[in-house]
Amino acid sequence: AGIVVANEATYLDLGNFAEPGPLLATIGLIIMAILVARGIKGGILLGIIITTIIGVPMGITKLPASLISVPPSLAPTMFKLDIMGVLKFSMFPIVFSLFFTDMFDSIGTFVGVASRTGMIDAEGNLKRGNKALFVDFIGTVLGSLMGTSTITTYVESTAGVSEGGRTGLTSVVVAILFAASVIFSPIALAVPGEAVAPALILVGVFMASSLNKIDFSDFYEAFPAFLTAIMMPLTFSISFGLAIGFVAYAALMLLAGRGKEVHWIMYGLAVIFVLYFAF
C-alpha cells in the first residue's frame, strides 16, 4: 500500500502520505478498524468495498470495462508434466525448496488460524491436523496438474474466522465464490491493493492475539518464539520464520544441557534447516 517503503539507509521507512495510495490505504484501515470494533458483521469485506469506491475519485480504482469475462484456457499448462525431468539429482534442491515452503507455510498457517478457532488442545496440538494437511496435500497435487503455482493454505483465512467461520461450510462457500470470481474477474481485479492491504493489517492484529500464550518469563520458550515471530515478516516467509525458530530452540536446549527434553524429530528438522540455509 506504500505505507511502508524501501530505504537504502534504514532498509524500511514510512511512505509519503501526500500520495493517493498510502492515503487511501490509511483511510481504509480506519474504516475497517471502526467497523470491526463496533462488531458490524462483514466489517472487513464492507470496508474493502467502501475503500474501493473512495478510490474511484482518487484515481486509484479503475472501473472495469465489463462485469464478466471468459475464463482463460488451461490448455497451455494443464497436465504439462515432466516427471522424469524432475527425478534428476540436480532438481532435488528445487523440489525440496517447494516442499519445504509449502509444508511449513501450511503448518504455520494452520496453527495460527486454529488458535483463533479453539482448535488447539491443552497440550498445544492441532486438533485433526493430519486431516487438514491431507486436504492441503490434495490441493497442492491437483493444482500442479492444472499448472498453477504451488497451492498452499492462506493466513488470510483468519479474517473469515473472525467473522464467525468455524466449519467446513465456510470453506465450501469460499470455494464457490472463488469459482465465480473466475467469471467475474473484471470486478475482482478492479479492487486496488490499497483497499486489500488494510484487511491484511487487521489479519495481523488477529494473529498477534496468540502471542499472549507465549511464556516470555521462560527464556527457553521466549527466545525461539520471538525469533520465529519477528523473522516471518522480515524474511517475507512463514516457513523461514519457523525454520529459524526450530534451529534456535534445538541449539539452545542442547547447548544449555537440556537436550534430552527435545524430541529427536526436532533435531532432525534443525539439521535439515541448517543444511537448507547453508546450501
Side-chain angles (χ1 to χ4, degrees):
I3 295 177
V4 175
V5 296
N7 185 304
E8 291 185 2
T10 60
Y11 297 107
L12 296 177
D13 200 356
L14 201 61
N16 182 7
F17 288 88
E19 297 179 355
L23 179 60
L24 178 61
T26 304
I27 294 173
L29 181 61
I30 295 172
I31 293 173
M32 290 184 203
I34 293 174
L35 293 175
V36 172
R38 294 179 67 89
I40 297 177
K41 206 68 174 177
I44 294 179
L45 179 59
L46 184 59
I48 292 176
I49 295 173
I50 295 174
T51 306
T52 300
I53 295 174
I54 295 175
V56 174
M58 296 179 67
I60 296 179
T61 302
K62 306 299 182 183
L63 297 178
S66 62
L67 298 181
I68 61 175
S69 64
V70 178
S73 173
L74 292 175
T77 57
M78 181 181 288
F79 302 124
K80 304 296 184 181
L81 307 176
D82 183 9
I83 301 298
M84 297 306 298
V86 176
L87 294 179
K88 297 178 181 178
F89 182 77
S90 60
M91 290 294 294
F92 175 77
I94 298 175
V95 174
F96 178 78
S97 296
L98 291 172
F99 166 76
F100 170 85
T101 302
D102 183 43
M103 180 176 179
F104 286 96
D105 266 4
S106 296
I107 291 175
T109 301
F110 279 135
V111 173
V113 174
S115 65
R116 294 283 302 176
T117 63
M119 296 188 68
I120 302 292
D121 62 23
E123 298 179 354
N125 298 315
L126 176 63
K127 298 178 182 178
R128 298 188 296 277
N130 57 335
K131 294 182 179 180
L133 285 172
F134 182 75
V135 172
D136 184 79
F137 149 71
I138 293 296
T140 300
V141 172
L142 293 179
S144 65
L145 292 176
M146 298 297 106
T148 71
S149 56
T150 307
I151 292 178
T152 186
T153 306
Y154 279 83
V155 74
E156 287 83 350
S157 302
T158 312
V161 171
S162 68
E163 293 295 337
R166 294 291 193 278
T167 67
L169 181 60
T170 304
S171 300
V172 172
V173 173
V174 170
I176 293 173
L177 293 176
F178 263 118
S181 69
V182 175
I183 300 174
F184 295 97
S185 59
I187 299 177
L189 294 174
V191 179
E194 290 82 358
V196 179
L200 300 181
I201 295 174
L202 291 187
V203 167
V205 175
F206 300 145
M207 297 294 289
S209 63
S210 299
L211 292 175
N212 61 9
K213 298 179 181 179
I214 299 174
D215 184 7
F216 282 101
S217 64
D218 181 359
F219 185 76
Y220 290 95
E221 180 177 337
F223 177 64
F226 171 77
L227 288 180
T228 300
I230 199 67
M231 292 307 292
M232 285 183 184
L234 293 181
T235 61
F236 283 77
S237 172
I238 293 176
S239 57
F240 284 171
L242 285 173
I244 293 170
F246 282 2
V247 173
Y249 178 71
L252 179 64
M253 295 293 284
L254 180 64
L255 298 177
R258 297 177 57 181
K260 293 183 179 180
E261 300 177 29
V262 181
H263 197 282
W264 66 268
I265 293 180
M266 182 69 77
Y267 287 121
L269 289 173
V271 171
I272 291 174
F273 292 149
V274 169
L275 293 175
Y276 177 79
F277 288 130
F279 300 102

